[in-house]
Amino acid sequence: MNYQEAKEKFISTWGSLGSLWGINKAMAQIQALLFISTKPLSMEDIMEELKISRGNTSMNLRQLMDWGIVTKEIIPGERKEFFSTEKDVQELARVVAKERSRREIKPVIKVLKEVSSIKDDGSKQTKELIKQTKALHELTDTMDVMINKVVNQNQNWLTKSLLKLFK
Amino acid sequence: MNYQEAKEKFISTWGSLGSLWGINKAMAQIQALLFISTKPLSMEDIMEELKISRGNTSMNLRQLMDWGIVTKEIIPGERKEFFSTEKDVQELARVVAKERSRREIKPVIKVLKEVSSIKDDGSKQTKELIKQTKALHELTDTMDVMINKVVNQNQNWLTKSLLKLFK
DNA sequence: ATAAACTTTCAATAATTACTGAAAGTTTAA
DNA sequence: TTAAACTTTCAGTAATTATTGAAAGTTTAT
């Protein structure tokens, strides 16, 4: 496998993985492209490499910036805007975890809390609803806290100590 | 909020959360319905409650069974088939983590390993590709191992000790 | 063996989500 | 102030994904 093949394979795989971390294909591919680029890229560069339209590129870049994963770079003497992504995987994981927690997990935790707090009318079905949603609430909450704690540790602690801990 | 409202809110929220754990809306809603039901439900029951077609119900029940989350119950004297879901949230989390790892994470790890193992031709861009995909490979692998270890611990360890550990 | 009771399959269709491209908007240089 | 160079927006369209419903398949009771 040569450079070009490896690059394409990485971008397409990372793109289809988008769903796993909650973003769409183009967004994931742009991030992947920037992630392995040796320099910031312009919108033209991105459109060209990924064969996507200007509008699509613009919208997805904006979303990546909203997530805090991509930043606009001003290059002296250049009229165009250039973009680059966070290059440190640990920091990337931290941002993604934080955003997903905020956007998706926290709202669900809120609903679970509400639902599990309804008044117990003594019926079997109400008891079951309360019991099960309470258990789900506790689990989701624990997981959420844990994931955020984990990704907020520093690099050494995460890759070395933690892995050892769970061996 | 009364029982019916709480039930509907739970099912619809859990359904729209489907994407977070990688399954579709109907599938998540069927699981949610079974999760708070006090007894196994027939296909008719599910169709009726969720207002979905027979075909849809059949296909999604089959998928839930493939995941190992839902089981067919044979009730003596009944001609219909009845379905119930795993009621223990810890076990549920364990199964979901295992399946997602197998279906989605493992294949990506494989690609990352391949891509990060291409021959270094000495060029700057190849070096960057190798460096970045290697970092991603390590992170993904660590996360995958960790998540599986965590969900495979017993209940007490997970909810008590682990949470304390990361406080 | 037959038929009733039930489940599965799958082609057609609907719903959702992503993408394009051109017009409108913005910034910069002269 | 103008116009060239660039970015954003968004209505229309394409692609993808989910759902229906009816026909085919299966099981069970007689």
Side-chain angles (χ1 to χ4, degrees):
Chain A
M1 191 159 48
N2 64 26
Y3 174 74
Q4 196 58 31
E5 287 165 348
K7 177 178 178 177
E8 279 162 19
K9 188 160 194 178
F10 170 63
I11 291 172
S12 102
T13 303
W14 203 241
S16 60
L17 186 69
S19 68
L20 192 62
W21 50 297
I23 67 178
N24 76 30
K25 202 180 92 195
M27 202 173 148
Q29 290 190 341
I30 293 173
Q31 199 277 328
L33 177 63
L34 293 173
F35 190 68
I36 56 168
S37 170
T38 54
K39 57 181 203 306
L41 301 180
S42 71
M43 213 152 87
E44 299 286 341
D45 295 335
I46 297 168
M47 286 166 60
E48 163 101 1
E49 283 270 8
L50 303 180
K51 302 274 182 284
I52 58 177
S53 72
R54 192 173 292 284
N56 200 5
T57 308
S58 173
M59 286 171 115
N60 284 112
L61 275 172
R62 131 106 61 170
Q63 276 215 75
L64 284 164
M65 288 188 281
D66 286 348
W67 274 67
I69 287 172
V70 162
T71 50
K72 209 177 265 189
E73 307 274 329
I74 303 301
I75 296 191
E78 285 277 10
R79 187 73 171 272
K80 285 198 193 87
E81 294 174 334
F82 288 79
F83 301 89
S84 61
T85 191
E86 171 61 50
K87 286 275 186 167
D88 176 52
V89 291
Q90 303 278 339
E91 179 59 18
L92 209 52
R94 204 187 64 75
V95 171
V96 170
K98 196 172 125 237
E99 286 297 304
R100 292 210 82 187
S101 169
R102 186 174 68 76
R103 292 165 197 247
E104 300 174 79
I105 303 176
K106 289 283 195 301
V108 170
I109 289 176
K110 190 163 157 284
V111 171
L112 288 175
K113 195 175 175 183
E114 281 168 34
V115 170
S116 66
S117 307
I118 62 167
K119 190 167 157 290
D120 185 353
D121 61 11
S123 76
K124 201 173 157 192
Q125 58 183 5
T126 301
K127 280 187 193 305
E128 182 72 5
L129 175 66
I130 292 172
K131 178 176 150 236
Q132 292 298 78
T133 53
K134 195 172 274 175
L136 222 39
H137 177 255
E138 276 160 21
L139 178 80
T140 313
D141 206 32
T142 303
M143 290 287 195
D144 184 51
V145 169
M146 209 186 75
I147 288 166
N148 279 287
K149 294 282 179 191
V150 168
V151 295
N152 273 296
Q153 305 299 332
N154 69 44
Q155 207 162 348
N156 274 347
W157 195 79
L158 177 59
T159 53
K160 293 179 184 149
S161 318
L162 189 61
L163 192 54
K164 228 174 271 169
L165 184 65
F166 288 121
K167 201 145 48 191
Chain B
M1 192 158 49
N2 63 28
Y3 174 74
Q4 196 56 33
E5 287 164 350
K7 176 180 178 176
E8 278 162 18
K9 188 160 194 177
F10 170 63
I11 290 173
S12 102
T13 304
W14 203 243
S16 61
L17 184 70
S19 68
L20 191 63
W21 51 296
I23 65 176
N24 78 27
K25 203 180 91 193
M27 201 172 148
Q29 289 190 341
I30 292 172
Q31 199 277 327
L33 177 63
L34 293 174
F35 190 67
I36 56 168
S37 171
T38 53
K39 57 179 201 310
L41 301 179
S42 70
M43 213 152 89
E44 299 286 340
D45 295 335
I46 296 168
M47 287 166 60
E48 163 101 359
E49 282 271 9
L50 303 179
K51 303 275 182 286
I52 59 178
S53 73
R54 192 173 292 282
N56 200 5
T57 307
S58 173
M59 286 171 112
N60 284 111
L61 276 172
R62 131 105 62 169
Q63 276 215 75
L64 284 165
M65 287 188 282
D66 285 349
W67 275 67
I69 286 171
V70 162
T71 50
K72 208 177 264 190
E73 307 274 328
I74 303 300
I75 295 190
E78 284 278 9
R79 186 74 171 269
K80 284 198 194 87
E81 294 175 334
F82 288 79
F83 301 90
S84 61
T85 190
E86 172 60 52
K87 286 275 185 166
D88 176 52
V89 289
Q90 303 279 338
E91 179 58 19
L92 210 50
R94 203 185 65 76
V95 171
V96 170
K98 197 173 125 236
E99 286 296 304
R100 291 210 83 186
S101 170
R102 186 175 68 79
R103 292 164 196 248
E104 299 174 81
I105 303 176
K106 290 282 196 302
V108 171
I109 289 175
K110 189 163 159 281
V111 170
L112 288 174
K113 195 176 174 182
E114 280 169 36
V115 170
S116 66
S117 305
I118 62 168
K119 190 165 157 294
D120 185 353
D121 61 11
S123 76
K124 202 172 155 193
Q125 56 182 7
T126 300
K127 281 187 192 304
E128 183 71 6
L129 176 66
I130 291 172
K131 178 174 149 239
Q132 293 297 79
T133 52
K134 196 172 273 176
L136 222 39
H137 176 254
E138 277 160 21
L139 178 80
T140 312
D141 207 31
T142 303
M143 291 286 195
D144 184 51
V145 168
M146 210 186 75
I147 289 167
N148 279 287
K149 294 282 181 190
V150 168
V151 296
N152 273 298
Q153 304 301 331
N154 69 46
Q155 206 163 349
N156 274 348
W157 195 79
L158 175 60
T159 54
K160 294 182 184 148
S161 319
L162 188 61
L163 193 55
K164 228 174 271 170
L165 184 65
F166 288 122
K167 200 148 49 191

